[in-house]
């Protein structure tokens, strides 16, 4: 008889603990609204030909993480026509337009040093990639 009462008490205790745990979890979810932590990647149209007149096969990418305010801009072109000054001017123009689109009031701060990388693509063409990391204050 004592064993049956002990088993019933344990089952009742386990059931009440499970119910309390699911209720606590749902209360925590209500307190913390879902935050967008995704990174948005987009191809930037090359409307900046005046900033890089000698570069050929230029591709521009922009990665933006709204939670941290971090922006990474990639400038890629053929290595033979790569000029770092043109790449810097193009990225500055892209960031200026991005600042106006998102209505940021302050200029971005640099997160890391700019990076230049040379590689061969799938067609065995030497390419150059220039990357800049910046952060906008979201306050």
């Amino acid at each position: 008889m004592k064993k049956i009462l002990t088993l019933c008490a344990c089952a009742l205790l386990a059931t009440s603990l499970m119910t309390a745990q699911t209720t606590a979890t749902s209360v925590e979810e209500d307190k913390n609204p879902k935050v967008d932590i995704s990174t948005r990647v987009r191809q930037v149209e090359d409307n900046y030909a005046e900033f890089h007149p000698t570069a050929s096969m230029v591709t521009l990418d922009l990665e933006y993480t709204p939670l941290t305010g971090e922006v990474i801009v990639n400038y890629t072109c053929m290595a033979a026509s790569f000029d770092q000054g043109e790449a810097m001017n193009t990225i500055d123009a892209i960031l200026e337009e991005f600042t106006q689109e998102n209505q940021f009031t302050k200029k971005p701060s640099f997160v890391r040093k700019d990076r230049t990388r040379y590689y061969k693509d799938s067609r065995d063409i030497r390419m150059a990639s220039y990357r800049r990391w910046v952060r906008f204050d979201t306050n």
Side-chain angles (χ1 to χ4, degrees), residues 2 36 90 107:
K2 289 182 181 181
D36 183 20
T90 304
K107 289 190 175 189

Side-chain angles (χ1 to χ4, degrees), residues 68-80:
T68 60
E70 188 168 300
V71 177
I72 302 172
V73 182
N74 296 311
Y75 172 95
T76 306
C77 69
M78 289 181 60

Side-chain angles (χ1 to χ4, degrees), residues 2 9 24 47 49 52 69 83 90 109 122 125 127 133-135 138:
K2 289 182 181 181
N47 299 329
H52 57 84
D83 180 17
T90 304
S109 58
S122 60
I125 298 173
M127 302 294 282
W133 289 268
V134 295
R135 180 174 294 134
T138 55

